């Protein structure tokens, strides 16, 4: 049973002029073949089904690896099932654009570096070839996504896509959406038809896998609790980005010309889960003898100590048609994204811990950043999405949540949580980590006073002994 919208509008749109042209562009859109069947499976009579396009842009070409329909959480349905959102009319769909935008943001949080929400798709009982395309405000859509990013990405050069699958004639129509053109006082959104092909691209993807550590960052010691940590969040991200820009990235142990194609690299495997793997490493000039002592980012605060230890993984699905230059950009983006996500989760856990301390009194707290786990889409290319789990949390929960967000059944996903295996042993090997809890200031003051009294007593006894010696000897 599909959920039918009541058609009530929750957004107010400004008037925008829309233009449609059949002019062909040089761009090509490659869509994994099984996604054609996925679009057909969404058809529900005369209903309008929205969804999110996920993939990469390499050069001028788009590579779509997944389509995710907007779903309604099970707890919002009487039958307890995860249902696809559907609308009775096109106007209902447009009036509820905020729901589609929110779905897009949920998808973004699972994406590895180099991958993006490329646009929106709609399965509707008509095609857009002979009518004006759906007038979703893509400028508002773009602002919403960028406004909720965990860090500031560089502006991308590509335009969004709009993919229409017509249940009337069982055909797909694809457009690029140029929403930044200005036409006098009004903004013009231009839709251009674009060549697209559904095909098998199983061997067209590799996974760039490696690690980085917070040794590239300096120790930061502050007081003031979570609010103070949040206030320096941007500084941490800037410092990490600077460290990345100063590093050299090696592929399978070699530093390569930036114009080398990724398809020219020999690939490895990691267990049974990841094939077509290219190993990446960061090299950075360091001051010998000091870097090892600063191999973690350590943040101290009032009643406890926050330790963001260094071993974190990179996992970047990447199209073989890209170059080393393209890949390094994606790797840097992945490092920034995984760092920003862990930092956000870290700060949220601090806020929760602070409330516990207020209730229970002084508490010594050592936090550990969540570890990365992969949700691998097994149909088509083995594309790896990313989620995170704190120590003690069941990664299976992340698999279930990702399945809901991506509209993927469990049989078409695989959980891989071994990527950061051994990180605990890595942390324990760091000699500079002080595991002793901070002393309460009153206890410390009392201890200092005792030491002073003992020192004075020893001095007085020494003087008395000297005087007695002079009298009786």
């Amino acid at each position: 049973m599909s959920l039918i919208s009541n058609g009530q509008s929750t957004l107010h749109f400004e008037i925008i002029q829309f233009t449609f042209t059949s002019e062909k562009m040089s761009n090509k859109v490659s869509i994994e073949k099984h996604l054609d069947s996925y679009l057909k499976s969404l058809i529900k009579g005369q209903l309008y089904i929205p969804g999110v396009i996920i993939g990469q842009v390499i050069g001028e070409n788009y590579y779509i690896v997944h389509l995710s329909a907007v779903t309604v959480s099970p707890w919002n349905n009487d039958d307890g099932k995860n249902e696809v959102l559907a609308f009775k009319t096109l106007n209902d769909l447009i009036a509820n654009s905020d729901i589609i935008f929110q779905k897009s943001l949920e998808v973004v949080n699972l994406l590895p570096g180099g991958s993006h929400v490329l646009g929106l798709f709609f399965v509707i009982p008509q095609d857009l070839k002979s009518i004006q395309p759906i007038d979703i405000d893509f400028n508002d859509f773009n602002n919403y996504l960028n406004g909720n990013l965990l860090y500031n990405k560089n502006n991308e050069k590509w335009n969004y896509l709009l993919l229409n699958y017509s249940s009337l004639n069982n055909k797909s129509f694809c457009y690029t959406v140029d929403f930044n053109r200005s036409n006098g006082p009004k903004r013009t959104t231009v839709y251009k038809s674009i060549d697209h092909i559904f095909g098998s691209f199983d061997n067209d993807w590799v996974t760039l896998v490696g690690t980085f550590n917070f040794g590239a960052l300096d120790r930061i010691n502050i007081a003031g609790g979570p609010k103070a940590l949040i206030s320096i969040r941007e500084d941490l991200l800037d410092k990490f980005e600077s460290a990345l820009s100063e590093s050299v990235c090696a592929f399978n142990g070699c530093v390569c010309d930036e114009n080398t194609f990724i398809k020219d690299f020999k690939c490895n495997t990691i267990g049974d889960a990841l094939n077509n793997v290219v190993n990446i490493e960061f090299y950075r000039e360091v001051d010998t003898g000091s870097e090892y002592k600063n191999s973690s980012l350590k943040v101290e605060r009032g009643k406890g100590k926050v330790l963001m230890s260094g071993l974190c993984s990179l996992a970047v699905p990447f199209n073989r048609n890209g170059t080393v230059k393209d890949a390094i950009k994606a790797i840097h983006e992945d490092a920034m994204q995984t760092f920003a996500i862990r930092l956000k989760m870290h700060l949220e856990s601090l806020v929760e811990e602070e409330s516990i301390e207020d209730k229970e009194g002084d508490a010594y707290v050592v936090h550990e950043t969540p570890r990365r786990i992969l949700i691998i889409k097994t149909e088509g290319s083995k594309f790896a999405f990313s989620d995170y789990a704190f120590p003690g949390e069941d990664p299976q929960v992340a698999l279930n949540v990702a399945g809901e967000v991506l509209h993927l059944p469990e049989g078409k996903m695989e959980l891989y949580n071994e990527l950061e295996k051994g990180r605990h042993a890595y942390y324990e090997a760091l000699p500079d980590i002080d595991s002793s809890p901070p002393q309460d200031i009153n206890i410390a003051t009392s201890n200092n006073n005792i030491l002073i009294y003992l020192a004075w007593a020893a001095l007085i006894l020494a003087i008395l002994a000297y005087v007695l010696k002079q009298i009786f000897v």
Side-chain angles (χ1 to χ4, degrees):
M1 181 182 73
S2 297
L3 180 70
I4 308 299
S5 169
N6 58 16
Q8 294 181 349
S9 175
T10 56
L11 285 181
H12 300 285
F13 294 98
E14 59 181 298
I15 297 176
I16 303 175
Q17 179 181 350
F18 293 88
T19 304
F20 173 71
T21 175
S22 60
E23 177 186 351
K24 297 291 183 179
M25 299 181 67
S26 59
N27 309 66
K28 296 284 182 67
V29 177
S30 299
I31 309 175
E32 293 199 344
K33 189 174 183 179
H34 68 280
L35 295 175
D36 187 35
S37 301
Y38 174 75
L39 290 174
K40 294 175 182 177
S41 72
L42 297 177
I43 296 174
K44 297 183 182 297
Q46 298 294 305
L47 299 178
Y48 293 74
I49 314 290
V52 180
I53 301 172
I54 304 168
Q56 291 182 351
V57 178
I58 305 294
E60 295 183 345
N61 298 324
Y62 296 77
Y63 300 93
I64 298 175
V65 294
H66 188 59
L67 302 173
S68 178
V70 178
T71 55
V72 181
S73 300
W75 48 85
N76 290 335
N77 294 331
D78 294 335
D79 57 6
K81 293 183 179 179
N82 193 328
E83 297 290 348
V84 172
L85 189 65
F87 300 94
K88 287 182 178 179
T89 69
L90 188 58
N91 288 336
D92 287 346
L93 185 153
I94 295 171
N96 287 274
S97 299
D98 57 333
I99 300 176
I100 305 171
F101 293 1
Q102 178 61 39
K103 168 68 175 186
S104 303
L105 188 60
E106 293 175 2
V107 170
V108 166
N109 291 333
L110 293 174
L111 293 180
S115 300
H116 306 274
V117 169
L118 298 184
L120 304 173
F121 74 85
F122 301 98
V123 178
I124 59 178
Q126 62 191 110
D127 63 71
L128 303 177
K129 189 173 183 180
S130 58
I131 64 172
Q132 176 175 288
I134 297 175
D135 57 346
I136 289 287
D137 188 343
F138 272 90
N139 189 73
D140 191 29
F141 177 63
N142 180 70
N143 292 338
Y144 183 83
L145 289 182
N146 291 332
N148 287 279
L149 291 175
L150 293 178
Y151 70 97
N152 296 323
K153 297 181 181 179
N154 295 326
N155 292 329
E156 298 290 342
K157 301 296 184 181
W158 46 267
N159 297 320
Y160 287 103
L161 295 177
L162 191 153
L163 178 64
N164 159 225
Y165 184 82
S166 170
S167 58
L168 179 68
N169 55 19
N170 294 326
K171 289 185 178 181
S172 296
F173 303 92
C174 192
Y175 308 92
T176 56
V177 182
D178 186 351
F179 56 91
N180 290 318
R181 297 192 179 191
S182 58
N183 183 16
K186 296 182 180 180
R187 187 170 61 252
T188 303
T189 299
V190 178
Y191 293 83
K192 294 185 178 181
S193 61
I194 188 170
D195 293 335
H196 65 284
I197 180 173
F198 289 88
S200 177
F201 311 114
D202 293 6
N203 295 320
D204 283 357
W205 292 83
V206 300
T207 305
L208 309 173
V209 176
T211 58
F212 68 90
N213 65 65
F214 298 135
L217 299 175
D218 297 325
R219 286 172 177 266
I220 298 179
N221 298 298
I222 63 168
K227 291 183 179 179
L229 284 174
I230 292 173
S231 69
I232 65 167
R233 178 179 172 276
E234 293 303 319
D235 290 337
L236 289 173
L237 291 173
D238 289 343
K239 187 171 290 189
F240 185 49
E241 188 170 31
S242 176
L244 286 173
S245 65
E246 295 171 1
S247 301
V248 174
C249 189
F251 295 75
N252 287 341
C254 299
V255 177
C256 305
D257 183 274
E258 64 178 19
N259 295 317
T260 303
F261 285 96
I262 298 299
K263 62 185 176 184
D264 294 333
F265 287 99
K266 181 180 179 181
C267 295
N268 306 309
T269 60
I270 299 180
D272 297 328
L274 288 174
N275 51 21
N276 294 336
V277 171
V278 174
N279 297 312
I280 56 176
E281 296 174 290
F282 283 126
Y283 292 93
R284 179 169 172 261
E285 184 178 356
V286 299
D287 182 10
T288 304
S290 65
E291 185 73 7
Y292 185 67
K293 293 181 180 180
N294 295 292
S295 54
S296 60
L297 170 64
K298 184 168 141 183
V299 182
E300 295 181 353
R301 64 187 182 92
K303 299 176 183 177
K305 179 166 54 182
V306 179
L307 179 66
M308 296 184 70
S309 291
L311 182 62
C312 288
S313 62
L314 297 163
V316 184
F318 194 74
N319 193 277
R320 288 180 182 269
N321 292 315
T323 63
V324 165
K325 181 179 180 180
D326 299 323
I328 291 176
K329 178 182 177 183
I331 291 166
H332 283 200
E333 184 178 297
D334 190 69
M336 288 292 294
Q337 185 154 306
T338 187
F339 177 64
I341 290 174
R342 292 174 207 249
L343 182 58
K344 178 177 182 292
M345 295 176 69
H346 206 67
L347 297 179
E348 289 173 349
S349 72
L350 278 177
V351 173
E352 294 174 2
E353 194 64 53
E354 190 77 6
S355 63
I356 293 175
E357 289 182 17
D358 291 340
K359 294 178 181 178
E360 300 181 357
D362 292 352
Y364 173 57
V365 183
V366 176
H367 291 261
E368 182 183 331
T369 51
R371 63 190 177 95
R372 188 177 201 165
I373 57 177
L374 300 184
I375 310 297
I376 302 175
K377 182 181 72 71
T378 56
E379 186 175 28
S381 63
K382 299 190 74 172
F383 190 91
F385 295 92
S386 295
D387 207 344
Y388 300 84
F390 280 105
E393 290 184 336
D394 184 3
Q396 184 66 34
V397 176
L399 183 71
N400 297 336
V401 172
E404 292 179 10
V405 173
L406 299 170
H407 195 225
L408 271 172
E410 189 171 340
K412 295 181 180 179
M413 295 184 295
E414 183 177 355
L415 177 67
Y416 185 69
N417 62 345
E418 300 294 312
L419 201 62
E420 294 179 16
K421 185 177 180 180
R423 53 183 277 172
H424 300 287
Y426 175 83
Y427 299 161
E428 293 168 1
L430 298 178
D432 60 312
I433 298 176
D434 180 12
S435 60
S436 59
Q439 281 189 312
D440 182 84
I441 187 169
N442 295 325
I443 296 175
T445 302
S446 177
N447 289 341
N448 289 337
N449 290 337
I450 292 171
L451 289 174
I452 292 172
Y453 295 149
L454 290 174
W456 275 109
L459 180 61
I460 291 171
L461 287 173
I463 294 172
L464 286 174
Y466 178 78
V467 171
L468 290 173
K469 182 177 179 181
Q470 295 299 320
I471 294 173
F472 293 104
V473 174

